[in-house]
Structures are given as structure tokens and as C-alpha cells.
Amino acid sequence: MVWPVDWDERVEGSACTMCTADRPDESDAGLRVFAGDFTDAYLARRALVRGYVVVVWRGRHVVEPHHLTADEAVEYNTDVLHVGRGVKGHFRPLKINYQTLGNRMPHLHTHVTPRYRDDPAPGAPLPDGPNRPVPERQWRADAQALRLRLGFKNS
């Protein structure tokens, strides 16, 4: 694998799909389960484990957590932890992993990943796929339950 040819444009923000995506309640990737002042959280449509959520920074284009102001960092991390508590409360995993990578899309976002006794890599990081579609009815029911836990009323 190589860095994308438009990597520099992604980093500076002109080719950032997370910045141009608006704040949809539903996308090809997931259902929005939380909306903060500067964050959105999406329950993934396809995942390696049930309950996988991505929290996306929705303020100005930012690549790394250290690019946030101190106040922004507090807000971002508070929202990430709020989502993590909601995931823990609804899905009851053994553990939750938090990953802030940005190696494919350099825009600040954090993967909130529940870990289960029967997941594909107990005691180790999850492999990079294969992600499976979550059954539609289950996915929507989980999203609704998370929205209630997280205090989000979708539009």
C-alpha cells in the first residue's frame, strides 16, 4: 500500500471528504447516533464487531489531536468518552478500544470499538477487516438505543 496521490491535499483540507460530507443522519458508512457542537458519531453499517462507532471532529479541518486548542481538545475528548460510555452501556463489551489514526483520511476522528469474548482477536488489536454488514433491523435498533443513551434526537 502507498500513500494516496492526493495526500497533501487531504492533509491541508482541500480534498477532505469528512469536511465536505456535511452532517448527515445517515450515510453509506453509518447512522448518526450523536451530534455535539463539534462532533458527530456514527454507528457503522459494516463492521468486524457489533457496536463499532466512529466519532468525527466537525469543527475546522484538523488532522491531529494536538492541532486542537485546549478548549477544543476538552470538548472532543469529552464527546469521545460520552460515546464510549453509551457503547459500553448498550452493547456490554468486555473492553472498548479507542483509536485515533487518520492513516487513510487525515481528518481527526476516533474509532470506538467494543471488544467481546468471542471477537476475532482476543487480547490483540482487531485485524483490518473483513467488515461484515450488520443486519439492517439490528443496526437500526442499535442506533436508536444509542441515540437514546447519548441524548441525540435526529432530524
Short mmCIF file of all heavy atoms in Angstrom, two decimals, residues 4-45:
data_model
loop_
_atom_site.label_atom_id
_atom_site.label_comp_id
_atom_site.label_asym_id
_atom_site.label_seq_id
_atom_site.Cartn_x
_atom_site.Cartn_y
_atom_site.Cartn_z
N PRO A 4 -1.92 7.87 -0.69
CA PRO A 4 -2.69 8.34 -1.85
C PRO A 4 -1.99 9.52 -2.54
O PRO A 4 -1.31 10.32 -1.89
CB PRO A 4 -4.03 8.80 -1.25
CG PRO A 4 -4.10 8.15 0.10
CD PRO A 4 -2.69 7.94 0.55
N VAL A 5 -2.17 9.63 -3.85
CA VAL A 5 -1.53 10.72 -4.60
C VAL A 5 -2.01 12.09 -4.14
O VAL A 5 -1.26 13.06 -4.23
CB VAL A 5 -1.75 10.58 -6.12
CG1 VAL A 5 -0.74 9.66 -6.75
CG2 VAL A 5 -3.14 10.18 -6.46
N ASP A 6 -3.23 12.18 -3.62
CA ASP A 6 -3.75 13.47 -3.15
C ASP A 6 -3.57 13.66 -1.64
O ASP A 6 -4.27 14.45 -1.02
CB ASP A 6 -5.22 13.64 -3.54
CG ASP A 6 -6.14 12.65 -2.83
OD1 ASP A 6 -5.66 11.65 -2.27
OD2 ASP A 6 -7.37 12.90 -2.85
N TRP A 7 -2.58 12.96 -1.05
CA TRP A 7 -2.37 13.01 0.39
C TRP A 7 -2.17 14.44 0.89
O TRP A 7 -2.77 14.86 1.88
CB TRP A 7 -1.19 12.13 0.80
CG TRP A 7 -0.99 12.12 2.28
CD1 TRP A 7 -0.03 12.78 2.99
CD2 TRP A 7 -1.81 11.46 3.25
NE1 TRP A 7 -0.18 12.56 4.34
CE2 TRP A 7 -1.28 11.73 4.52
CE3 TRP A 7 -2.93 10.65 3.16
CZ2 TRP A 7 -1.82 11.24 5.70
CZ3 TRP A 7 -3.49 10.14 4.33
CH2 TRP A 7 -2.94 10.44 5.58
N ASP A 8 -1.33 15.22 0.23
CA ASP A 8 -1.06 16.59 0.69
C ASP A 8 -2.34 17.43 0.68
O ASP A 8 -2.57 18.22 1.60
CB ASP A 8 0.02 17.25 -0.18
CG ASP A 8 1.39 16.61 0.02
OD1 ASP A 8 1.61 15.97 1.08
OD2 ASP A 8 2.24 16.74 -0.87
N GLU A 9 -3.17 17.25 -0.33
CA GLU A 9 -4.44 17.98 -0.40
C GLU A 9 -5.40 17.53 0.70
O GLU A 9 -6.15 18.33 1.26
CB GLU A 9 -5.10 17.80 -1.77
CG GLU A 9 -4.36 18.48 -2.91
CD GLU A 9 -3.14 17.70 -3.41
OE1 GLU A 9 -2.98 16.50 -3.07
OE2 GLU A 9 -2.32 18.32 -4.13
N ARG A 10 -5.38 16.24 1.03
CA ARG A 10 -6.20 15.74 2.14
C ARG A 10 -5.75 16.37 3.45
O ARG A 10 -6.57 16.79 4.26
CB ARG A 10 -6.12 14.22 2.24
CG ARG A 10 -6.79 13.48 1.11
CD ARG A 10 -6.68 11.99 1.33
NE ARG A 10 -7.16 11.24 0.19
CZ ARG A 10 -7.40 9.93 0.21
NH1 ARG A 10 -7.17 9.24 1.31
NH2 ARG A 10 -7.84 9.32 -0.87
N VAL A 11 -4.45 16.41 3.66
CA VAL A 11 -3.90 16.96 4.91
C VAL A 11 -4.24 18.44 5.05
O VAL A 11 -4.65 18.89 6.12
CB VAL A 11 -2.37 16.74 4.99
CG1 VAL A 11 -1.75 17.55 6.13
CG2 VAL A 11 -2.06 15.26 5.17
N GLU A 12 -4.11 19.21 3.98
CA GLU A 12 -4.40 20.64 4.09
C GLU A 12 -5.89 20.93 4.04
O GLU A 12 -6.32 22.02 4.37
CB GLU A 12 -3.61 21.47 3.09
CG GLU A 12 -3.83 21.14 1.64
CD GLU A 12 -4.94 21.95 1.00
OE1 GLU A 12 -5.42 22.93 1.57
OE2 GLU A 12 -5.36 21.55 -0.09
N GLY A 13 -6.71 19.93 3.67
CA GLY A 13 -8.15 20.07 3.77
C GLY A 13 -8.92 20.24 2.48
O GLY A 13 -10.13 20.06 2.46
N SER A 14 -8.25 20.55 1.38
CA SER A 14 -8.99 20.78 0.13
C SER A 14 -9.57 19.50 -0.47
O SER A 14 -10.51 19.56 -1.25
CB SER A 14 -8.11 21.51 -0.90
OG SER A 14 -7.03 20.69 -1.28
N ALA A 15 -9.03 18.35 -0.10
CA ALA A 15 -9.56 17.06 -0.60
C ALA A 15 -10.06 16.21 0.57
O ALA A 15 -10.04 14.99 0.51
CB ALA A 15 -8.48 16.32 -1.38
N CYS A 16 -10.55 16.87 1.61
CA CYS A 16 -11.02 16.14 2.80
C CYS A 16 -12.50 15.83 2.66
O CYS A 16 -13.35 16.73 2.74
CB CYS A 16 -10.76 16.95 4.06
SG CYS A 16 -11.38 16.12 5.54
N THR A 17 -12.83 14.56 2.48
CA THR A 17 -14.23 14.17 2.32
C THR A 17 -15.00 14.30 3.64
O THR A 17 -16.22 14.44 3.62
CB THR A 17 -14.35 12.73 1.80
OG1 THR A 17 -13.67 11.84 2.69
CG2 THR A 17 -13.75 12.61 0.40
N MET A 18 -14.31 14.27 4.76
CA MET A 18 -15.01 14.46 6.04
C MET A 18 -15.45 15.91 6.22
O MET A 18 -16.45 16.17 6.87
CB MET A 18 -14.16 13.99 7.21
CG MET A 18 -14.04 12.50 7.28
SD MET A 18 -13.23 11.99 8.80
CE MET A 18 -13.31 10.21 8.64
N CYS A 19 -14.72 16.84 5.63
CA CYS A 19 -15.11 18.24 5.71
C CYS A 19 -16.27 18.55 4.75
O CYS A 19 -17.11 19.39 5.05
CB CYS A 19 -13.93 19.14 5.37
SG CYS A 19 -12.70 19.26 6.69
N THR A 20 -16.31 17.88 3.62
CA THR A 20 -17.34 18.18 2.62
C THR A 20 -18.59 17.33 2.80
O THR A 20 -19.58 17.54 2.10
CB THR A 20 -16.79 17.96 1.20
OG1 THR A 20 -16.37 16.60 1.06
CG2 THR A 20 -15.63 18.90 0.91
N ALA A 21 -18.59 16.40 3.75
CA ALA A 21 -19.69 15.45 3.90
C ALA A 21 -20.91 16.02 4.60
O ALA A 21 -21.92 15.35 4.72
CB ALA A 21 -19.22 14.22 4.65
N ASP A 22 -20.85 17.27 5.07
CA ASP A 22 -21.95 17.84 5.82
C ASP A 22 -22.11 17.03 7.11
O ASP A 22 -21.15 16.45 7.60
CB ASP A 22 -23.22 17.87 4.98
CG ASP A 22 -24.23 18.89 5.48
OD1 ASP A 22 -23.83 19.83 6.18
OD2 ASP A 22 -25.42 18.75 5.16
N ARG A 23 -23.30 16.97 7.66
CA ARG A 23 -23.54 16.22 8.90
C ARG A 23 -24.80 15.38 8.73
O ARG A 23 -25.79 15.59 9.41
CB ARG A 23 -23.66 17.18 10.08
CG ARG A 23 -22.38 17.97 10.36
CD ARG A 23 -22.53 18.93 11.50
NE ARG A 23 -22.45 18.23 12.77
CZ ARG A 23 -22.24 18.82 13.93
NH1 ARG A 23 -22.09 20.12 14.01
NH2 ARG A 23 -22.20 18.12 15.04
N PRO A 24 -24.75 14.40 7.84
CA PRO A 24 -25.96 13.62 7.55
C PRO A 24 -26.35 12.70 8.71
O PRO A 24 -25.49 12.24 9.45
CB PRO A 24 -25.57 12.80 6.32
CG PRO A 24 -24.09 12.61 6.48
CD PRO A 24 -23.59 13.92 7.09
N ASP A 25 -27.64 12.45 8.85
CA ASP A 25 -28.11 11.49 9.84
C ASP A 25 -27.82 10.06 9.39
O ASP A 25 -27.68 9.16 10.22
CB ASP A 25 -29.61 11.65 10.12
CG ASP A 25 -29.90 12.85 11.00
OD1 ASP A 25 -28.99 13.30 11.73
OD2 ASP A 25 -31.03 13.34 10.97
N GLU A 26 -27.74 9.87 8.08
CA GLU A 26 -27.45 8.54 7.54
C GLU A 26 -26.56 8.69 6.31
O GLU A 26 -26.76 9.59 5.51
CB GLU A 26 -28.74 7.82 7.17
CG GLU A 26 -28.54 6.40 6.71
CD GLU A 26 -29.82 5.60 6.59
OE1 GLU A 26 -30.85 5.99 7.18
OE2 GLU A 26 -29.79 4.55 5.92
N SER A 27 -25.58 7.81 6.22
CA SER A 27 -24.69 7.79 5.05
C SER A 27 -24.45 6.33 4.67
O SER A 27 -24.92 5.42 5.34
CB SER A 27 -23.36 8.47 5.39
OG SER A 27 -22.59 7.66 6.25
N ASP A 28 -23.68 6.14 3.62
CA ASP A 28 -23.31 4.77 3.23
C ASP A 28 -22.53 4.08 4.34
O ASP A 28 -22.55 2.87 4.45
CB ASP A 28 -22.48 4.78 1.96
CG ASP A 28 -23.29 5.17 0.74
OD1 ASP A 28 -24.54 5.06 0.78
OD2 ASP A 28 -22.69 5.59 -0.26
N ALA A 29 -21.83 4.86 5.16
CA ALA A 29 -20.99 4.28 6.21
C ALA A 29 -21.73 4.00 7.50
O ALA A 29 -21.39 3.07 8.22
CB ALA A 29 -19.81 5.20 6.48
N GLY A 30 -22.73 4.82 7.85
CA GLY A 30 -23.37 4.60 9.14
C GLY A 30 -24.53 5.52 9.44
O GLY A 30 -24.88 6.40 8.65
N LEU A 31 -25.09 5.31 10.61
CA LEU A 31 -26.18 6.12 11.15
C LEU A 31 -25.63 7.01 12.25
O LEU A 31 -24.90 6.54 13.14
CB LEU A 31 -27.28 5.23 11.74
CG LEU A 31 -28.20 4.54 10.77
CD1 LEU A 31 -29.06 3.49 11.49
CD2 LEU A 31 -29.10 5.56 10.08
N ARG A 32 -25.99 8.30 12.20
CA ARG A 32 -25.52 9.22 13.24
C ARG A 32 -26.27 8.91 14.53
O ARG A 32 -27.49 8.85 14.56
CB ARG A 32 -25.74 10.66 12.81
CG ARG A 32 -25.15 11.65 13.80
CD ARG A 32 -24.94 13.02 13.23
NE ARG A 32 -26.15 13.63 12.70
CZ ARG A 32 -26.30 14.93 12.54
NH1 ARG A 32 -25.32 15.76 12.85
NH2 ARG A 32 -27.42 15.41 12.05
N VAL A 33 -25.50 8.72 15.60
CA VAL A 33 -26.08 8.40 16.91
C VAL A 33 -25.82 9.49 17.94
O VAL A 33 -26.35 9.44 19.04
CB VAL A 33 -25.59 7.03 17.44
CG1 VAL A 33 -26.09 5.90 16.54
CG2 VAL A 33 -24.07 6.99 17.57
N PHE A 34 -24.98 10.46 17.57
CA PHE A 34 -24.66 11.57 18.47
C PHE A 34 -24.24 12.77 17.65
O PHE A 34 -23.56 12.62 16.62
CB PHE A 34 -23.52 11.18 19.42
CG PHE A 34 -23.08 12.30 20.33
CD1 PHE A 34 -23.86 12.65 21.43
CD2 PHE A 34 -21.93 13.02 20.07
CE1 PHE A 34 -23.47 13.71 22.26
CE2 PHE A 34 -21.54 14.06 20.89
CZ PHE A 34 -22.31 14.40 22.00
N ALA A 35 -24.65 13.96 18.09
CA ALA A 35 -24.21 15.21 17.47
C ALA A 35 -23.87 16.19 18.58
O ALA A 35 -24.74 16.61 19.33
CB ALA A 35 -25.30 15.79 16.58
N GLY A 36 -22.59 16.49 18.70
CA GLY A 36 -22.16 17.51 19.65
C GLY A 36 -21.98 18.82 18.91
O GLY A 36 -22.26 18.93 17.72
N ASP A 37 -21.50 19.83 19.60
CA ASP A 37 -21.26 21.11 18.93
C ASP A 37 -20.20 20.98 17.84
O ASP A 37 -20.28 21.63 16.80
CB ASP A 37 -20.81 22.17 19.94
CG ASP A 37 -21.95 22.58 20.87
OD1 ASP A 37 -23.14 22.37 20.51
OD2 ASP A 37 -21.65 23.10 21.96
N PHE A 38 -19.20 20.12 18.07
CA PHE A 38 -18.11 19.97 17.11
C PHE A 38 -17.83 18.51 16.73
O PHE A 38 -16.79 18.22 16.17
CB PHE A 38 -16.82 20.59 17.68
CG PHE A 38 -16.92 22.05 17.92
CD1 PHE A 38 -17.06 22.55 19.21
CD2 PHE A 38 -16.91 22.96 16.88
CE1 PHE A 38 -17.16 23.90 19.45
CE2 PHE A 38 -17.02 24.32 17.10
CZ PHE A 38 -17.16 24.79 18.39
N THR A 39 -18.73 17.60 17.07
CA THR A 39 -18.52 16.19 16.74
C THR A 39 -19.81 15.54 16.27
O THR A 39 -20.91 15.99 16.62
CB THR A 39 -18.01 15.39 17.95
OG1 THR A 39 -19.00 15.44 18.98
CG2 THR A 39 -16.68 15.89 18.47
N ASP A 40 -19.65 14.50 15.50
CA ASP A 40 -20.72 13.58 15.16
C ASP A 40 -20.19 12.18 15.41
O ASP A 40 -18.99 11.93 15.26
CB ASP A 40 -21.10 13.67 13.67
CG ASP A 40 -21.89 14.93 13.34
OD1 ASP A 40 -22.73 15.34 14.16
OD2 ASP A 40 -21.67 15.49 12.26
N ALA A 41 -21.09 11.27 15.78
CA ALA A 41 -20.70 9.87 15.96
C ALA A 41 -21.63 9.01 15.12
O ALA A 41 -22.85 9.22 15.11
CB ALA A 41 -20.79 9.47 17.43
N TYR A 42 -21.05 8.05 14.43
CA TYR A 42 -21.78 7.18 13.51
C TYR A 42 -21.60 5.71 13.87
O TYR A 42 -20.46 5.25 14.02
CB TYR A 42 -21.31 7.39 12.07
CG TYR A 42 -21.71 8.75 11.54
CD1 TYR A 42 -20.89 9.86 11.72
CD2 TYR A 42 -22.93 8.93 10.91
CE1 TYR A 42 -21.27 11.11 11.27
CE2 TYR A 42 -23.32 10.18 10.44
CZ TYR A 42 -22.48 11.26 10.63
OH TYR A 42 -22.88 12.50 10.18
N LEU A 43 -22.72 5.01 14.00
CA LEU A 43 -22.70 3.56 14.18
C LEU A 43 -22.51 2.95 12.80
O LEU A 43 -23.31 3.19 11.88
CB LEU A 43 -24.01 3.08 14.81
CG LEU A 43 -24.14 1.58 15.01
CD1 LEU A 43 -23.11 1.06 16.01
CD2 LEU A 43 -25.55 1.23 15.47
N ALA A 44 -21.46 2.16 12.66
CA ALA A 44 -21.08 1.63 11.35
C ALA A 44 -22.09 0.64 10.79
O ALA A 44 -22.62 -0.21 11.51
CB ALA A 44 -19.71 0.96 11.43
N ARG A 45 -22.32 0.76 9.50
CA ARG A 45 -23.20 -0.15 8.75
C ARG A 45 -22.50 -1.50 8.53
O ARG A 45 -23.13 -2.54 8.47
CB ARG A 45 -23.54 0.48 7.40
CG ARG A 45 -24.52 -0.29 6.56
CD ARG A 45 -24.78 0.39 5.22
NE ARG A 45 -25.35 1.71 5.31
CZ ARG A 45 -26.66 1.98 5.25
NH1 ARG A 45 -27.53 1.01 5.10
NH2 ARG A 45 -27.07 3.22 5.32
#
